[in-house]
Each structure stands twice: as C-alpha cells, then as structure tokens.
Amino acid sequence: MTVTDSDLAAVSAPVEQARGLPNACYTDPAHFAREADAVFFASWAGLAFAADAPEPGDVKPVRFLGQPLLLARDREGVLRVFLNVCRHRGMILVEEAARLPRAIRCPYHSWCYELDGRLRTTPHVGGPGTNRHAAIDRAQLGLVEVRSHVWMGVVWVNLDGKAPEFETYAADLRARWAAFDRPLAFAPDGAFELEVACNWKLAVENYCESYHLPWVHPGLNSYSRLEDHYNIEAPGTHSGQGTRAYRPMLAEDGRRFPVIAGLDAQWEEGAEYVALYPNVLLGVHKDHAFAILLCPQGPERTVERIAIGYFDTAVLGEDWAPMRARNAAMWKEVFEEDIFVVEGMQKGRHAGGFDGGRFSPVMDSPTHCFHAWVAERLRQPA
Amino acid sequence: MSDPADPEAAPLSATHPDQPRDFVAPGADRDFAGERLTVDPAGARALLDARLIAAHAAGDTARLVTLYAEAGDSSEAAGDAAAAAFYRTHAYVFALQSGDSRAEELHRWLLREGREE
Ligand code: FES
Ligand SMILES: [Fe+2]
C-alpha cells in the first residue's frame, strides 16, 4: 500500500491531532526502498563505528540498505568511505575485513587502488604487459568516495552528496552537548549487538520518550523517576529526553568512573538521550557516553550495534575492567527490556485497521517530532 | 585476503602431483631430479608454472613477487621483452598488494619501457 501525501499530512499535523506513520511505513518492502532513498541516502545516516577500522590499512566492507560500501583507513590514519566496487567492471572489491599492507587489488583483473582511493595500476589495460592506455585516465578512475564524517565514534555518511555539511546538520546538538565534544575512548568489551524483529523507526520512537520508563524499566525508575525527565525537541534533526537525576554507577570498592572536570551543575546532575535522525541513538553522561547504530536489514528487521565510550582513557585500563563490564551489562539489560515493546509494536503494525495511533501531547512529543521529520523527508520531490 | 593454504594440499601440476611445494629452490638451474632446467625450455616453463600455481593457491604474495620477477628476468635474458613486461607487471601488482619494496624498482622498469604511468 502506497503511503500518500494525505497520510503524511496527518502525521505532520500538530501533536494534539496528529496520527502516527501508517502501517505500510513499517511493513511494506516497497516503502522500505523509498525510505532508503528519501530518508537515509538524502541525510547524514550512521553507517559504522570508527573503531570498525581502527588501524592504518584496515578495510571493512559494510552493506548499508543494499549499498555495498567500504570503510578504509589509509597509511596516514585518515578514514574514508567508498563504494566497494571496482571502477573497471564493477566487481566487489573487498569481501572481508582485513588489514592491508598497501594496495587494494581487485580480485577480477587486478586493478590496484591505494587506501586513499587513488587508482594505482591497471595491469594489461593496453594489451599484455602494457598497463596504460590513453583512454584510461587514472585520475578520473579512483574509488568513488562517499561523503563521511566521524563524530562521537560514529561514521556518518551522506550517500546522495546533497545534504548540508555534517557540521551544519548536527550544529544544534553539538552546541547543546559542547561539554561532551571531546575524544571518547571506546572499550572493545563495551560493544554488543542486538537483533530485533522490528522496523528501525520503532527503535527510534521508543528511545525518544521517557513515557515508558516506569512501566518497561521499573529498575531505572527507582533512581531516575519519571518526573525528573524532560523532552528534547529540535525539529528537523533530533529529539529525545533528558534526566535531571543521573546516578553514576558505584564500583564494589566505592569508586566511580572518572568524570569530565569542570562541568556545570546541569551535567553534574543530569544526562541526555537523543536520536540524531535518522538512525543514531546517543546518550551522554558526565562519565561515559554511548551510541546505538540502527542498521535496518529489511522493513521488519534491525540490528542494533551498541558502543560505550569513556571520556577518560584511564577507564580502558585493566583495573576498570570489572566496572566496565557491569556498565555494559546494565545498558544491555535496559536495551533488552525494550525489545518486547518494539517487537510488539511491529506485530501491531499488521493490524489492517490500525490508523497509526495517537500521541500524548505531553509525553510523546519527541516521537511526534521524529515522525514529522520522516514525513517531511518522504514528501521531498525525489 | 585468503589464508595461506596448507602447502601439502596445494596442487602442483598434473605431471608431478605429489611434489612438495619448494621442490625447486629459487634461482636453481636444476629440477628436483637434478636435471638441468635449461636443456628443456618447455619443462622449465612447466616447473615455473607449477611453482606459481602453488604460490597462488597458498596466497603467498611475497613468493609470487619473487617467482614473477624471476620469470621476468629469464624472459629478458632470453630476449623476450614482451614476456618480461608481462611477468614484471604481475610481480609489480603483487608487490603493490603486499607492500613489498620491490614495487618501486619494478615500477621504474615498467615506466622506462613505456608500460606504466
Ligand atoms: S573488475 Fe576490477 S579489475 Fe576488472
Ligand atoms: Fe526504553
């Protein structure tokens, strides 16, 4: 069922009257393809973690909504994203993550590319033993680079190349979180994945609001009460929630993770959780931050990749390992508690008579803010 | 990159299926049976092919550089410039892939011959 402009207008209405996105937005493969273009490729979307290719020479293939992409870190340590496709006959270049000593050799006719994308040689292109030809201009035939930007350990990409600069897109959130705009040390043992049977948007919607906390995360509620929470809404880029009462974790021996020095009162006491549209869920606290990358696998399947980073590199040391493990386990439990609701909402989207649902004008406005953004992206002329 | 295959399992050639991978030392002028390679150019070619196939099967790029460079040298010595360029192109490609410093010298030669940029 095609999602029409009048369906979308109902979504964009003021929160008091608005309906949620219609079922087809969650279940229809044709709509999923439309969304890939209009919502993901036309925006800055989260692709991977910078830690997926940590060292010079590292290459990692990533499929992104059907697009074969390649993360590559060159000798100087610069991370880029390319189409994972040879400029000759379109062979897939890299099938598995690897640490390459130098060039990427296409497995088909052995055209070789430097890790920065330059085409280095084209063996026999002018006949056996002749590796040049007037028609083959190497300067024009490097790997096709995709616009990318790294922030908070996440590699963002803009596939259609037409979005404003990432710095512009994320400017409001970066300003809001200026206190946290500093290097993050990601612990390999703080990374985990969850596979969920739902559309990626349901994970965003659930993440944005605090309405469900006392019901779905009663454990959290004991120290982070609903009334301590507030909504965050920046139409067009992000929305989410914050808490005024963040209680850092205590180690068995009474220690706490080191915190950023000199924070103001808001960040001494609070924490915030924001979805930077479309698919990256971020959380910041005075002692750590995390990023959840939503990797859509189809209309009804999403892989969530979670990475936890610390503002003090000392926390990556051995003596903090048990505490890091507890922190990761705590977040994993929270995110796992959300699975039954996002999967349950997905099942609900198969009820033909469901009209997209209604929002609490008070509690659900961050979710409505996200829906309005999605609806607006879909209405953009292709 | 593929893992180096088990050398025992690496195929050699139809004529010597059971020979170990290194049955001819690099640069040797005699084969495993002690016969001079040069008395039988076809046989020498077959032995080179066998060594190349084994190195390809093992994904042993350093050895591929060595073998293709040797093949380039003997082609040049035999006055076959086209074959030399062919083999040295292969040596160059595998040197690029493996970050082998021989890439620069091979590149210089190919460039001199008007076969590279
Ligand atoms: S397709 Fe890559 S070299 Fe031919
Ligand atoms: Fe939740």
Side-chain angles (χ1 to χ4, degrees):
Chain A
M1 242 192 62
T2 315
V3 177
T4 64
D5 276 3
S6 87
D7 295 331
L8 297 172
V11 173
S12 306
V15 65
E16 293 80 2
Q17 289 100 46
R19 281 206 300 271
L21 289 161
N23 286 346
C25 294
Y26 300 85
T27 56
D28 179 9
H31 184 83
F32 184 74
R34 177 181 172 191
E35 209 176 53
D37 284 327
V39 176
F40 282 87
F41 301 161
S43 319
W44 284 99
L47 171 72
F49 292 115
D52 290 337
E55 296 292 332
D58 283 349
V59 290
K60 185 180 185 189
V62 185
R63 270 196 98 79
F64 181 61
L65 291 146
Q67 297 291 310
L69 304 181
L70 181 69
L71 282 180
R73 196 179 287 276
D74 74 10
R75 298 256 79 84
E76 279 69 51
V78 178
L79 186 65
R80 293 183 183 81
V81 179
F82 300 107
L83 301 189
N84 187 11
V85 174
C86 179
R87 294 297 302 274
H88 177 219
R89 301 300 308 133
M91 175 75 184
I92 287 286
L93 275 179
V94 178
E95 293 276 15
E96 280 169 38
R99 185 157 297 164
L100 302 182
R102 183 165 168 192
I104 302 169
R105 179 175 72 82
C106 176
Y108 198 176
H109 312 92
S110 288
W111 287 22
C112 292
Y113 302 88
E114 298 285 2
L115 289 158
D116 62 11
R118 280 175 302 152
L119 179 57
R120 173 51 68 208
T121 192
T122 52
H124 313 312
V125 79
T130 300
N131 308 330
R132 46 184 284 274
H133 188 280
I136 303 298
D137 180 358
R138 291 185 190 176
Q140 301 301 315
L141 292 170
L143 296 182
V144 177
E145 186 169 355
V146 172
R147 277 176 99 196
S148 65
H149 189 93
V150 176
W151 182 55
M152 286 196 66
V154 175
V155 183
W156 267 270
V157 288
N158 168 231
L159 257 86
D160 79 356
K162 295 183 200 147
E165 292 298 313
F166 181 85
E167 303 286 1
T168 308
Y169 182 63
D172 288 353
L173 185 57
R174 291 190 72 154
R176 179 180 192 95
W177 285 356
F180 302 99
D181 222 339
R182 51 179 65 229
L184 269 170
F186 283 91
D189 55 11
F192 57 95
E193 281 187 22
L194 300 171
E195 194 161 342
V196 287
C198 75
N199 185 275
W200 65 277
K201 292 190 293 299
L202 293 172
V204 176
E205 296 165 22
N206 174 63
Y207 186 79
C208 279
E209 48 100 332
S210 52
Y211 193 3
H212 71 286
L213 298 184
W215 312 110
V216 176
H217 310 292
L220 276 187
N221 200 48
S222 66
Y223 65 85
S224 181
R225 296 161 308 154
L226 190 53
E227 54 265 44
D228 293 329
H229 286 258
Y230 54 90
N231 294 339
I232 299 166
E233 285 165 64
T237 62
H238 65 273
S239 58
Q241 40 143 338
T243 173
R244 296 185 190 85
Y246 166 63
R247 311 274 157 80
M249 180 175 269
L250 215 57
E252 324 253 287
D253 61 6
R255 288 191 304 168
R256 291 200 164 105
F257 287 131
V259 303
I260 300 172
L263 286 175
D264 61 19
Q266 179 196 0
W267 297 123
E268 271 301 328
E269 302 299 323
E272 287 190 342
Y273 307 94
V274 159
L276 183 53
Y277 307 155
N279 67 326
V280 182
L281 315 179
L282 300 165
V284 291
H285 321 76
K286 60 184 175 182
D287 55 352
H288 75 286
F290 62 77
I292 306 175
L293 212 53
L294 302 174
C295 310
Q297 307 295 304
E300 307 199 60
R301 215 164 63 83
T302 302
V303 169
E304 303 183 0
R305 295 188 64 200
I306 295 99
I308 300 175
Y310 296 90
F311 294 108
D312 189 330
T313 49
V315 177
L316 295 200
E318 241 335 279
D319 53 330
W320 286 105
M323 178 86 158
R324 286 199 312 270
R326 275 182 60 216
N327 195 32
M330 189 273 287
W331 282 118
K332 190 164 189 225
E333 191 184 328
V334 171
F335 301 145
E336 281 172 346
E337 284 171 348
D338 284 313
I339 292 179
F340 90 95
V341 289
V342 294
E343 292 191 341
M345 286 193 287
Q346 183 67 34
K347 288 179 198 153
R349 267 39 187 192
H350 288 274
F354 179 66
D355 62 358
R358 292 295 297 271
F359 298 108
S360 154
V362 178
M363 304 303 293
D364 286 322
S365 48
T367 301
H368 174 254
C369 187
F370 170 62
H371 273 208
W373 178 78
V374 170
E376 194 218 297
R377 306 272 8 152
L378 290 169
R379 271 201 304 266
Q380 301 281 325
Chain B
M1 280 204 318
S2 54
D3 289 319
D6 176 2
E8 300 300 319
L12 289 170
S13 73
T15 44
H16 302 293
D18 298 317
Q19 294 302 335
R21 186 155 68 92
D22 272 320
F23 62 95
V24 177
D29 62 352
R30 286 165 193 273
D31 69 10
F32 64 95
E35 288 184 40
R36 288 188 65 81
L37 299 177
T38 46
V39 295
D40 176 10
R45 176 59 198 262
L47 286 168
L48 173 68
D49 286 348
R51 292 153 79 195
L52 281 169
I53 288 166
H56 272 287
D60 185 345
T61 34
R63 187 157 168 78
L64 285 168
V65 178
T66 301
L67 293 174
Y68 278 120
E70 276 176 20
D73 294 347
S74 35
S75 300
E76 189 177 45
D80 188 343
F86 180 89
Y87 286 125
R88 283 171 178 165
T89 289
H90 283 236
Y92 176 51
V93 163
F94 288 112
L96 280 180
Q97 181 185 349
S98 54
D100 191 311
S101 57
R102 287 174 285 183
E104 316 318 320
E105 190 193 329
L106 289 157
H107 182 253
R108 272 197 299 279
W109 185 86
L110 290 161
L111 200 61
R112 225 170 29 238
E113 297 292 305
R115 293 174 180 275
E116 252 300 335
E117 300 182 4

